[in-house]
Amino acid sequence: MSLTNCLIVDDSRLSRMMIQKFILQTHPDWHIEEAGTGEEALELASNHNFQVITMDFNMPGMNGLDTAEQLRAQFPETKIALLTANVQESIQNRANDLGLDFIPKPITEEKIKAYVA
Amino acid sequence: MLNDIQIDAVTEILNIGLGSAAAALSEMVEEEVILSIPSVEVLDRTNAAKIVGSGGVDTVSAVHQAFSGPIWGNALLFFPEKQSMELVRAVMRNTLPLETLSEMEQEGMTEIGNVILNACLSSFADIFQNPIETNIPLFFQGNVNDLFRLQSDDGDTDETTLLLRMEFNLKHKEIKGFISFLMSISSINSFLDSITHYLDVDIA
């Protein structure tokens, strides 16, 4: 079985730590990269073949939806979830239009483990 | 000044928004969050700070987040300074080792604020069916007077503010927090217009 590469994009270091911890509890063999901005995520994605990406929405610089839109165009097969506290319908609809999964914050063990199960 | 029916309408919208915020907090701390009756006042910022300070809240740890759209201003979530660490501990207890907690207080508070304030603002946006954009949440620690001097990015320097205030308590922990929205007169009027549209009744 091939290695799963996962990218966590969130400007909150704490959020990245929590997501990473919960993913590794389920999949200790996954390789995980972290990005604190959308721009950093795009750069990392150009050098890695990510199968799973979790993406915050509200970040300095490029927001999560704009970043995901670019990633989706380049990597149509990648499983991408918008993981955000901004739970407005308009945001959820845009995520849906881009073919993203939507995970409302707060981050919980159950939500992350269910997503990567 | 707001008339009685306007205060009633704002309180109702606030109840819905802060209900969402409380649900988010409750999910984080895994216990019931008890909400006070919201209070709605139009007053200047100095008096707003005095009112909050009179409740024994002097030095605070806070998260503030500017927002724009059909309504605009600054959303504030704040706790008496000594209690913020307790809150971070309650939320992160299963995630971070104890020795790392204190160094993560600021980041922990910012993320907690992000979730709570966004839950509330998202609820407003959905009620008004009009998107609200939020800036990056920022951490603040200091005197409550300085917190209430924060200005929005929109250049509004209005001294008058709509002080929407709700207190929440965790059932099994001595943690008391507040949410307030600093909005200028023009934003308040826009808020009332949005409420009128939503309720489909004239509240002028």
Side-chain angles (χ1 to χ4, degrees):
Chain A
M1 196 172 152
S2 63
L3 179 73
T4 296
N5 285 316
C6 173
L7 174 63
I8 300 169
V9 189
D10 201 307
D11 61 323
S12 162
R13 182 164 58 120
L14 198 69
S15 294
R16 296 198 304 269
M17 287 169 71
M18 291 176 76
I19 297 165
Q20 171 154 191
K21 177 177 176 175
F22 297 143
I23 290 176
L24 289 177
Q25 282 175 354
T26 305
H27 300 291
D29 55 330
W30 279 21
H31 174 75
I32 296 181
E33 294 280 340
E34 295 182 21
T37 64
E39 290 83 354
E40 205 182 324
L42 291 174
E43 195 178 325
L44 278 169
S46 65
N47 298 317
H48 295 74
N49 179 25
F50 292 115
Q51 285 83 43
V52 178
I53 298 175
T54 68
M55 177 75 65
D56 185 22
F57 171 67
N58 204 6
M59 296 183 288
M62 189 184 286
N63 73 44
L65 275 172
D66 291 345
T67 309
E69 187 170 14
Q70 291 197 29
L71 290 171
R72 173 55 77 230
Q74 293 175 57
F75 310 102
E77 302 301 318
T78 300
K79 182 177 157 105
I80 306 175
L82 194 71
L83 206 172
T84 177
N86 193 328
V87 293
Q88 297 178 50
E89 274 176 25
S90 57
I91 301 292
Q92 295 191 45
N93 290 340
R94 275 193 66 197
N96 192 42
D97 291 345
L98 289 171
L100 311 179
D101 298 306
F102 190 88
I103 306 174
K105 282 188 177 179
I107 295 162
T108 63
E109 186 174 347
E110 292 73 25
K111 288 177 194 171
I112 300 301
K113 288 187 173 175
Y115 184 64
V116 299
Chain B
M1 293 293 283
L2 302 181
N3 64 34
D4 285 350
I5 194 161
Q6 287 172 327
I7 288 177
D8 191 51
V10 172
T11 303
E12 183 56 27
I13 299 298
L14 191 61
N15 254 327
I16 298 169
L18 295 192
S20 301
L25 178 61
S26 175
E27 198 176 349
M28 284 189 278
V29 295
E30 295 177 344
E31 73 169 83
E32 189 181 342
V33 175
I34 299 157
L35 292 173
S36 71
I37 306 292
S39 72
V40 178
E41 292 153 285
V42 176
L43 65 177
D44 65 61
R45 289 172 184 238
T46 307
N47 278 323
K50 266 187 197 158
I51 286 175
V52 172
S54 68
V57 182
D58 186 10
T59 310
V60 295
S61 290
V63 179
H64 57 102
Q65 189 161 28
F67 58 93
S68 58
I71 55 174
W72 58 96
N74 239 319
L76 311 176
L77 170 74
F78 53 100
F79 300 86
E81 190 181 18
K82 287 176 188 161
Q83 294 182 5
S84 70
M85 191 61 214
E86 183 72 19
L87 180 68
V88 172
R89 191 172 288 133
V91 172
M92 306 297 169
R93 67 199 177 288
N94 295 327
T95 312
L96 295 177
L98 208 57
E99 60 273 17
T100 348
L101 270 174
S102 60
E103 72 179 71
M104 298 296 282
E105 180 184 2
Q106 184 169 332
E107 289 195 51
M109 266 297 291
T110 307
E111 185 57 15
I112 291 166
N114 180 43
V115 172
I116 292 177
L117 295 176
N118 264 289
C120 190
L121 291 166
S122 295
S123 168
F124 290 162
D126 289 345
I127 289 170
F128 298 148
Q129 297 191 315
N130 209 340
I132 292 176
E133 294 196 5
T134 53
N135 285 4
I136 304 297
L138 299 171
F139 181 76
F140 170 94
Q141 201 158 40
N143 189 279
V144 73
N145 288 302
D146 295 330
L147 179 66
F148 277 80
R149 303 308 302 175
L150 293 169
Q151 297 291 341
S152 303
D153 292 349
D154 56 20
D156 265 338
T157 52
D158 207 326
E159 276 300 300
T160 306
T161 190
L162 178 65
L163 180 66
L164 308 174
R165 217 160 29 112
M166 197 171 207
E167 186 178 322
F168 56 87
N169 291 277
L170 301 189
K171 197 170 185 181
H172 300 296
K173 292 186 186 68
E174 288 295 312
I175 298 176
K176 170 168 85 165
F178 304 86
I179 292 180
S180 292
F181 296 85
L182 300 180
M183 296 160 69
S184 64
I185 286 286
S186 46
S187 180
I188 293 167
N189 286 332
S190 183
F191 193 32
L192 293 173
D193 287 345
S194 297
I195 292 173
T196 301
H197 186 255
Y198 166 66
L199 295 176
D200 202 21
V201 292
D202 186 8
I203 58 171

